[in-house]
Amino acid sequence: MVVVMSPDATPEDVARVVARVEGVGGEAFVSTGVVRTIIGLVGDIDSFHHLNLRTLPGVADVHRISDPYKLVSRQHHPDRSTVWVGPAGHQVPIGPGTFTLIAGPCAVETAEQTIETARMARSAGATILRGGAFKPRTSPYAFQGLGVAGLRILSSAREATGLPIVTEVVDARDVPVVAEHADMLQIGTRNMANFGLLQAVGEAGKPVLFKRGMTATIEEWLMAAEYIAQRGNLDVVLCERGIRTFEPATRNTLDISAVPVVQAASHLPVIVDPSHAAGRRDLVVPLSRAAIAVGADGVIVDVHPDPETALCDGPQALRGVELRELARAVRRLPPMVGRADAAGQVRA
Amino acid sequence: MVVVMSPDATPEDVARVVARVEGVGGEAFVSTGVVRTIIGLVGDIDSFHHLNLRTLPGVADVHRISDPYKLVSRQHHPDRSTVWVGPAGHQVPIGPGTFTLIAGPCAVETAEQTIETARMARSAGATILRGGAFKPRTSPYAFQGLGVAGLRILSSAREATGLPIVTEVVDARDVPVVAEHADMLQIGTRNMANFGLLQAVGEAGKPVLFKRGMTATIEEWLMAAEYIAQRGNLDVVLCERGIRTFEPATRNTLDISAVPVVQAASHLPVIVDPSHAAGRRDLVVPLSRAAIAVGADGVIVDVHPDPETALCDGPQALRGVELRELARAVRRLPPMVGRADAAGQVRA
Amino acid sequence: MVVVMSPDATPEDVARVVARVEGVGGEAFVSTGVVRTIIGLVGDIDSFHHLNLRTLPGVADVHRISDPYKLVSRQHHPDRSTVWVGPAGHQVPIGPGTFTLIAGPCAVETAEQTIETARMARSAGATILRGGAFKPRTSPYAFQGLGVAGLRILSSAREATGLPIVTEVVDARDVPVVAEHADMLQIGTRNMANFGLLQAVGEAGKPVLFKRGMTATIEEWLMAAEYIAQRGNLDVVLCERGIRTFEPATRNTLDISAVPVVQAASHLPVIVDPSHAAGRRDLVVPLSRAAIAVGADGVIVDVHPDPETALCDGPQALRGVELRELARAVRRLPPMVGRADAAGQVRA
Amino acid sequence: MVVVMSPDATPEDVARVVARVEGVGGEAFVSTGVVRTIIGLVGDIDSFHHLNLRTLPGVADVHRISDPYKLVSRQHHPDRSTVWVGPAGHQVPIGPGTFTLIAGPCAVETAEQTIETARMARSAGATILRGGAFKPRTSPYAFQGLGVAGLRILSSAREATGLPIVTEVVDARDVPVVAEHADMLQIGTRNMANFGLLQAVGEAGKPVLFKRGMTATIEEWLMAAEYIAQRGNLDVVLCERGIRTFEPATRNTLDISAVPVVQAASHLPVIVDPSHAAGRRDLVVPLSRAAIAVGADGVIVDVHPDPETALCDGPQALRGVELRELARAVRRLPPMVGRADAAGQVRA
């Protein structure tokens, strides 16, 4: 940490900062400038936080200079991680050596629709099936999902196709029942800072797909992932899904740069959700190609056999024709950036 | 609703939209233009949502033209509401005729600090005491609040000063214990879209202080308030607390315009939190004056007898000197905009 | 400046930074931490910028710790400035002791409309007349202003009412002709970073009304004001006019906090434009009251005798009834925050 | 256009709107709903704008439903355009069939640095040389470019390498001298809405590289391009260079979705500037790969033989090693998305 004193700080002000820092066992290096004095702090950063240095007389600013997250940081864990998803003997990877396609309906509506979509997804090369049973919706008057009945439908789709399931959990009280059916728990964008829920999924013993808050900085997102990691669960896959900006042409602005930025800062895998970022079907394939090229570890897309009748986010769901175009990209592009096809990588 | 067809839509495309709308009992008025056709829909808007019109061939866009929220809208409830807070016989108002000062520590730390702060608040004209027992923090390594022990301290501060208590609840599982101690339940900015929590406080039988999500539009905020109202609780006070923008000089950007915008759209009271918006003590009094002048129904501010030692948000907490300046503004300015002092308005 | 080294920086990396700094006559104070080393720099900050320290091996980050602007900073000019506008003998103030109302049509359309609006403005207590002759418009198909003919109409309105004129200049080549007719030159939001234009108005010998770029940080805005000041013109009045955010309910989000933030950082006067910030007539009076209460040195508002026929921004122009409400606020509120009525402060 | 009436609009209010529309030769289709009436307008949209319908009694809202730009729109020009850059007989393309690499120094510093960089660029497959002679800088104390001397250096680099030159013009008064030396005129992000400058380059007879304003919507950007096109110049290449958001990890947020969005709306070519978007060297190659994959018509990157000594934006300039990595991507990826290498496409 670095403490910057105001131009009118007195020597007593400086001495007070030094005394506080030394009082908790830290060291303080004072650099006296022409107009300002700065003080470098060395020691346990957590103990410095409790000092409230920013409120002391003569203090103009306090800069933090190291990562505030630890378990998810790449600083002490330089190799990037692979997360394995699925039942023992049938696990599929998400990580640096492969490219993973996750596909399925935004919302589970019926067994037929779900199983048909799962088959479409598998033919396109998907190795994990997505599908929402509990849906957080902006309006209380919108379709909220089938709940436990939806989880059962997802289980039957897994039986029918062999694809492991990822599905969202929106309430800490639902974590046990969702973890019973799902192979991977999804935390959605609106719940990124729902810390009680994060702690609950951290203890559930299943890998987590952790979406970025639509208005969270990358640092806040990694800090929130730390809440999950702290409970002993490091099987966390980060998912960039677009951030809120002033641009109205897309539902959100896909922050494609977040992929390499996160990969430099954290060892966790990071994938992209182009469907929710764009909110427009015509952008999903181009953005998926961009995700592969930028180095993402996978994409997650909405698919629907008949988007016109979808109960949720129909305008962004891929139909058969776009899904085949995506399948071609997923086969051809990853080898250009040094990745294998995840479809062939099951861990027995 | 208005459906805008693409320039290349066929007569069949238009007929399909009309048929769908009529199929759910609506009426469709077709206006054929030189380059485009538009179709005005009349009938039950919820039934139209399920039609997924946006996904039909030839449809370019669909515009919604009435409020998506109902219970909190001013459309069918033109008079602005007053919410009464506190035990029967000692209730204080938040509403259009008065100006309410809510003050207290960001976090409850000790009984002494809380009671001393409550006395400072009462002397300054505050009629409600704020204080955090459950704290949602960006970092899992930061102080998370005292929990139930903090609630007990708040209860003792109420006994000592007579001020009703507002405190935050961050997890649906905690709603019963918080509602047992508090007079008003606060939903914080990170939980604005935690719909399970909103439904839980909607059933708790206590008024709710409902903060805007730091990146929520006003419409999303009112839609979220509808989740509380739907469970039968219309005693909701909205709180503007700053939104996330590109400007780094303040922690958030106080959206002062949100006050008159909300008052035009909703009958619910709306107050301002200048402490969390600015994150800087020197801005709290000027922004509180602005809140009074723009027509807010109250302000909520952080106060601390000794901000240097505060465990949470010390840099923004008012000390005695600023609190006295705020007290003067709260006495003198509201009458200039036609409001009485809330301090004299207890409902027996 | 503070240079933060990476955890893996070598002693040679540190030595290289120190050598560079000393090479331009600066001093470098090294603080060696457990995981990182930080280096505090003392000396001429401009010479440090040319060193490109951020690109040296082992450097993780460089923090600037003093204001990058000088002439407009309050650091060496602690008293807030008053800018006087108008012909010698009839100058009116904008500054800390008064509150100034600037009013007039968004665009000059006809002599009749302009003179009628000027009389409405004067009756309401305005001391300066605004009006656009050169209009920067988003669409090339929108009305672009009357140009020099508009300047002549403004001059006749000044003769008719005695009010000095402020009008926008959008092209450096037009500065001489605008300066010939106007008493104050306005730089609009789209031109905040048009540095050639800033330098031209800096040399024109007239005070400048300098609007914030709709997406500029406060620091960038003050840096841009420095371009004007550098050419010898310190008669600059800053104008907060709303910033671009994700909120669609208002045209822009009025950053009311910018007023006290700017007043703490710069000695220049700062006023507020609620008309362009909100883009809605019903918000102009509440936001003007908020501007007075927060401590602004004035407001500038659009007025039109018949907004339905306005060629520009009709929906936000005040009509007679709202202007009288604003006039009452401008008379009654400033004394509550220690300001005199600017209308009585002509400097002979 | 669609006019939405308020719930309390009277039949007279509706009749007034209809009369106005018919008064300028338009047709109005009235749809009377249960709570609201909507009116569809057919006819000349420009004439409707002058009606100020939004200000009429009973009008709640007015929706525009067709593109506000014409010459740059794809609506009447469905084939995407190719822009040719360079002297007759040596023109190189930017357009849908190829992928163009533009590279060079952010700022021209010396003849040696420029020519060395130009040779590096050419070896990497660049077909156009970029380099700044007139630099708009946020601070008046930063290096502002060599001006005309810099243009002469760029001309000599063209002679040495055969690469046509693109360079920025920041002031309408400089357009003739820049057009005399350059093969393509660049409009930078800060000048996107400097309409006088746009009109000047529209008349200069050279193709234009037109960067998006860092806070402009895509629609505003295309409207601004219309200013250039209106003066008879349709040789405009759009350049996405990142937008301002709340995320601090990158200098701006590259809006990669803007590429397919613009390609759907406009026939003009669109390229990407990953250097200025990210502001970090380590992101330039991954983002360039993403640009190719998403379907951009080219990229423009900063290169410097010795970034540590660069006078401008050193931290983002590619060195030899990264440039070779970029060259590989530019050779290998475009064929995967159906594009030829622009290097082989000179038009004699």
Side-chain angles (χ1 to χ4, degrees), chain C residues 107-124:
Chain C
V108 170
E109 296 162 13
T110 65
E112 293 66 35
Q113 163 249 11
T114 305
I115 292 175
E116 183 180 348
T117 307
R119 289 193 170 126
M120 287 170 68
R122 194 180 53 183
S123 322

Side-chain angles (χ1 to χ4, degrees), chain A residues 107-109 132-133 135-137 139-146 311-312, chain B residues 50:
Chain A
V108 170
E109 297 163 13
K135 304 295 303 173
R137 300 299 296 275
S139 166
Y141 303 109
F143 175 62
Q144 312 273 325
L146 295 180
L311 294 181
C312 162
Chain B
H50 291 294

